[in-house]
Amino acid sequence: MSTHAVLEWRNGLPYSPEFDDVYFSVSPEHPQHGLAETRYVFLQHNHLAERWQQLPADTASHFVIVETGFGSGLNFLAALKLWRDTAPAHAHLHFVSVEIAPFTLQDLRTAHAHFPELAEASAALCAQYHLLQPGINQLELPSFSASLTLFIGDSAHYLPQLTLKADAWFLDGFAPSKNPQMWQPYLFASMATCARTGTTFATFTSAGVVKRGLQAAGFVVQKTKGFGNKREMLCGNWPTTTAPTINPLPKVAIIGAGIAGCSTANQLASLGCEVHVFERAAQVATGASGNPRGMLYPRLNAEKPMNDQLAWRSYSYSLRHYAQLNLGDDGFQSVGLLQLGGSPREHKRVQKVAARYEQLGVDTPLLHKMTAAAASECAGVQIGHECLYFPHGAWVNPVRACQQMVKQPKIRLHLAQEVDKLSRISSGWQLFSDSSPLGTFDAVVVCNAAEAAALIPESGMWLNPVRGQMGVIAAQPAMQPLRTILCGDGYLTPAHQGTHAMGATFAPGETDTSVRAEDSEQNLHMVSTLSPQFGPVAHTAVISARASLRCGSPDYLPYVGPLLPLQDLMDSHASVNSFADLPAAQGLYVHAAHGSKGLMTAPYCAAILARRMLQDFGHTLPQLSEDTFWLGLHPQRLLFKQAGWKPLLQPFSEQEKT
């Protein structure tokens, strides 16, 4: 959904006609000229090799770099290689960059071909560099113990919103004479807001406007020899006044080992936290996350923009996330997905969604409206109605994904261990099972879906269980040509290892998980309506079936965030006018109520939750969502409404209007 950079390739180099400048310079005499300049200006003058070698070798640590102008990604690749060569194993690099017009993947690869020594770093980046959207894009590179937070849009919009603390700044982008709109006071003010003891910066330019802006913001500025033919450059630091405070990472308990719990554990462990996962069953993913295949696509809602925002962000993030888990062909396949308009209700949804995105002028490779004829050609079987096509739509084996996510040294599984009580103590939280203590933790994340209501009854969350039954049938001759996933009132996957997955029924309020013959018949009937070719399928034998409970909320958004002690405040009938008036986070969090979309939305929500949690414990890392979006998922939003705290509902109404 992003607008890509328009490049001209001159003598093999990427050139911007808009800014009348080259992204990096190389020549036959000095083929590594661009890389050498990056190393000299940004790596050397931020003293990165020395600083990274001094990071603690025995505990987890984090280092944050913020860059203006991602461009070809050359600075990022050079930093990645140096990070791997010098940083200790327990350290994590967070690289944040802003780019108004990103390269296409093909242009990125063409540019990187000039630097064969960065081939491994380039391959890791390019494997994640797709499905980019305006706003915040999170790309994980676990083989380098690094992540890239890429803001696509205007730096004047995004830099002032940063709440992180930067260790180093790469002031890149086109020169002030070529791109004056970037080198404005907002840039230097943002740097000061994100500065802490030891923050450094470096830039290729020595322009007076840059030097004066940095000094006015409070930085100590040094002018030094520039690279190559450039006479001078600038570097410097935030003046050191106090010794840096090093906060310990929290020890976290996760209750529930479904897709929400495993995703949350995975994210926290990747950030260095010690994580304990408690699951009452004998293995992970035994509830709604235990189906053999689950679908990945954004079920869009033309009338609820925030739901659509969550869908798009989760879709792009989760597709990258599952791809890098290395689940194999049995665990993850991106085969495309057609959302059909077969029933009157689904046809209306398709029409509304298509009209909304046409009106917005969205030109995206993630979504296409298709005629019945085009859809038939795409699917390989006859489709009787127009539909929406998601070229990257995929299916995932949730059990395999959950198992893979908790395979980390920092994660300890406690299976067949039910938590039935939480107790707040001075040092954190104590967990109990049948009155027996299970341990003390700095933070707890409740991820056990509908069962959360019994564990945290005062939460104010409304959790609605929804029974669903899916089934597996043998591959049928009529379905053999099917190439894509079909979704209408249910779903059908292409054949894999001789079977199709189909489902699922939808029964709100029902809690019985025994398999029902009538539900299998309902699923077969649903499949028979997906294509005129599928009529005989209605009488096919079901090889296996599985029923489970999904858990949803009234507004179809998940509950993600801290549970705050609000009762005293509500009893006092106090007027609450902002989130700052609420009690501070107490180390108790919720990640639940994803409904039928958890396979897609849980990894993204876990990623934003993990970083917000660490922020509560004094670790100001790059955040993956705006404050308004984060507050829109607050697990106690229904209590805010009940108490009449209308100003706290503003983030939700704001999202509805966007």
Side-chain angles (χ1 to χ4, degrees):
M1 296 173 72
S2 60
T3 301
H4 291 290
V6 177
L7 304 181
E8 291 180 6
W9 291 89
R10 301 182 181 180
N11 299 319
L13 301 180
Y15 186 90
S16 171
E18 179 182 358
F19 294 101
D20 189 30
D21 206 353
V22 68
Y23 280 88
F24 58 81
S25 56
V26 295
S27 68
E29 294 79 16
H30 303 284
Q32 300 298 297
H33 186 275
L35 177 56
E37 182 173 20
T38 286
R39 286 171 168 161
Y40 177 80
V41 173
F42 298 114
L43 307 188
Q44 180 177 328
H45 282 87
N46 276 298
H47 315 290
L48 295 185
E50 303 94 313
R51 295 167 73 183
W52 291 347
Q53 288 169 346
Q54 294 170 8
L55 292 173
D58 54 348
T59 59
S61 59
H62 300 270
F63 196 95
V64 179
I65 296 174
V66 184
E67 175 191 54
T68 56
F70 187 73
S72 67
L74 179 57
N75 296 339
F76 176 59
L77 298 186
L80 270 186
K81 187 175 188 309
L82 182 65
W83 177 258
R84 172 177 277 184
D85 292 344
T86 59
H90 296 290
H92 190 97
L93 174 65
H94 302 266
F95 196 98
V96 180
S97 191
V98 184
E99 177 58 59
I100 196 167
F103 279 36
T104 65
L105 178 58
Q106 183 55 54
D107 284 340
L108 205 69
R109 286 173 169 154
T110 301
H112 295 175
H114 287 285
F115 310 105
E117 65 181 286
L118 301 179
E120 188 177 358
S122 172
L125 170 61
C126 290
Q128 288 277 294
Y129 191 90
H130 58 102
L131 306 173
L132 303 181
Q133 301 182 61
I136 309 173
N137 297 267
Q138 183 72 1
L139 283 64
E140 300 291 349
L141 294 87
S143 61
F144 283 82
S145 296
S147 58
L148 168 63
T149 307
L150 180 59
F151 289 82
I152 295 180
D154 192 338
S155 59
H157 175 73
Y158 288 111
L159 289 181
Q161 296 185 33
L162 294 181
T163 58
L164 53 80
K165 292 301 178 183
D167 294 291
W169 282 81
F170 290 4
L171 298 183
D172 202 4
F174 296 109
S177 60
K178 303 282 188 179
N179 185 23
Q181 58 266 38
M182 190 193 82
W183 304 88
Q184 295 295 321
Y186 77 84
L187 168 60
F188 310 117
S190 300
M191 292 176 65
T193 300
C194 296
R196 63 178 168 196
T197 300
T199 297
T200 61
F201 75 87
T203 179
F204 62 89
T205 184
S206 62
V209 65
V210 178
K211 180 180 179 182
R212 291 189 296 273
L214 287 163
Q215 289 174 328
F219 284 89
V220 175
V221 182
Q222 177 184 356
K223 189 178 287 187
T224 189
K225 183 182 182 304
F227 181 82
N229 296 328
K230 296 175 183 176
R231 189 176 64 179
E232 294 174 317
M233 60 165 280
L234 301 176
C235 60
N237 63 278
W238 186 254
T240 299
T241 56
T242 59
T245 300
I246 301 177
N247 297 301
L249 290 165
K251 176 184 175 184
V252 184
I254 308 288
I255 302 174
I259 194 69
C262 291
S263 296
T264 305
N266 177 268
Q267 292 291 334
L268 287 167
S270 70
L271 294 174
C273 297
E274 178 186 341
V275 181
H276 293 251
V277 180
F278 293 87
E279 168 56 49
R280 69 174 185 173
Q283 61 185 33
V284 302
T286 58
S289 303
N291 291 337
R293 289 169 221 169
M295 306 308 110
L296 281 182
Y297 77 107
R299 188 167 177 81
L300 303 172
N301 189 322
E303 298 171 351
K304 294 187 176 182
M306 183 171 176
N307 296 64
D308 273 18
Q309 287 186 43
L310 176 63
W312 279 125
R313 295 179 186 198
S314 299
Y315 182 56
S316 56
Y317 179 87
S318 296
L319 283 169
R320 290 192 295 265
H321 171 73
Y322 289 119
Q324 62 92 16
L325 285 179
N326 298 316
L327 300 176
D329 287 343
D330 292 337
F332 173 76
Q333 285 194 24
S334 180
V335 293
L337 182 146
L338 288 165
Q339 183 181 344
L340 310 181
S343 68
R345 178 172 60 86
E346 286 302 309
H347 181 74
K348 185 177 180 180
R349 175 190 291 274
V350 167
Q351 292 291 328
K352 281 189 173 182
V353 170
R356 168 175 166 76
Y357 284 95
E358 287 174 1
Q359 183 181 12
L360 292 174
V362 175
D363 179 20
T364 168
L366 302 182
L367 167 65
H368 306 296
K369 182 180 178 182
M370 276 191 170
T371 64
S376 299
E377 183 176 353
C378 176
V381 298
Q382 187 178 349
I383 302 297
H385 306 272
E386 62 185 353
C387 58
L388 299 176
Y389 177 51
F390 299 90
H392 303 279
W395 62 259
V396 180
N397 181 319
V399 176
R400 184 164 298 183
C402 286
Q403 291 171 340
Q404 192 71 6
M405 284 191 286
V406 295
K407 284 183 180 178
Q408 288 203 41
K410 288 281 186 178
I411 297 176
R412 182 179 173 187
L413 281 174
H414 302 266
L415 300 175
Q417 185 68 77
E418 183 170 9
V419 177
D420 55 25
K421 181 183 176 183
L422 303 176
S423 179
R424 183 83 165 99
I425 57 177
S426 59
S427 58
W429 290 87
Q430 195 165 27
L431 275 58
F432 293 88
S433 177
D434 290 331
S435 301
S436 299
L438 300 175
T440 301
F441 302 88
D442 300 305
V444 178
V445 188
V446 179
C447 303
N448 56 346
E451 296 167 9
L455 191 62
I456 41 176
E458 304 300 322
S459 67
M461 298 185 300
W462 187 80
L463 295 161
N464 179 34
V466 178
R467 181 189 185 279
Q469 182 172 312
M470 60 82 61
V472 175
I473 58 175
Q476 304 294 307
M479 299 178 178
Q480 185 175 359
L482 181 63
R483 295 191 292 263
T484 66
I485 301 165
L486 301 181
C487 279
D489 288 326
Y491 65 81
L492 176 73
T493 64
H496 177 66
Q497 295 185 342
T499 64
H500 299 270
M502 64 175 186
T505 59
F506 184 83
E510 293 194 25
T511 57
D512 179 15
T513 57
S514 58
V515 172
R516 302 172 182 170
E518 58 267 32
D519 281 17
S520 290
E521 292 175 5
Q522 182 179 334
N523 281 329
L524 287 170
H525 174 73
M526 176 274 299
V527 168
S528 72
T529 67
L530 295 177
S531 169
Q533 297 176 215
F534 294 171
V537 176
H539 306 290
T540 299
V542 175
I543 297 174
S544 64
R546 188 176 186 276
S548 59
L549 298 182
R550 296 161 293 189
C551 175
S553 72
D555 57 10
Y556 303 102
L557 290 170
Y559 295 128
V560 186
L563 275 185
L564 307 179
L566 299 180
Q567 196 59 53
D568 289 345
L569 194 58
M570 294 180 68
D571 291 343
S572 70
H573 303 288
S575 176
V576 176
N577 297 309
S578 74
F579 282 90
D581 296 333
L582 296 176
Q586 57 179 352
L588 179 60
Y589 302 84
V590 171
H591 184 191
H594 288 274
S596 61
K597 302 179 289 293
L599 191 60
M600 185 185 76
T601 53
Y604 171 67
C605 289
I608 62 176
L609 173 62
R611 288 163 182 262
R612 294 280 178 163
M613 284 180 63
L614 291 193
Q615 187 176 57
D616 292 342
F617 284 88
H619 299 269
T620 48
L621 302 177
Q623 299 301 319
L624 308 186
S625 68
E626 306 87 347
D627 286 347
T628 52
F629 187 89
W630 167 248
L631 296 172
L633 302 176
H634 202 289
Q636 292 167 298
R637 54 188 183 266
L638 296 180
L639 281 181
F640 301 161
K641 185 175 182 179
Q642 178 183 334
W645 298 337
K646 292 183 179 179
L648 270 60
L649 302 177
Q650 193 64 25
F652 320 117
S653 57
E654 290 271 343
Q655 294 287 354
E656 291 293 313
K657 296 174 184 177
T658 55

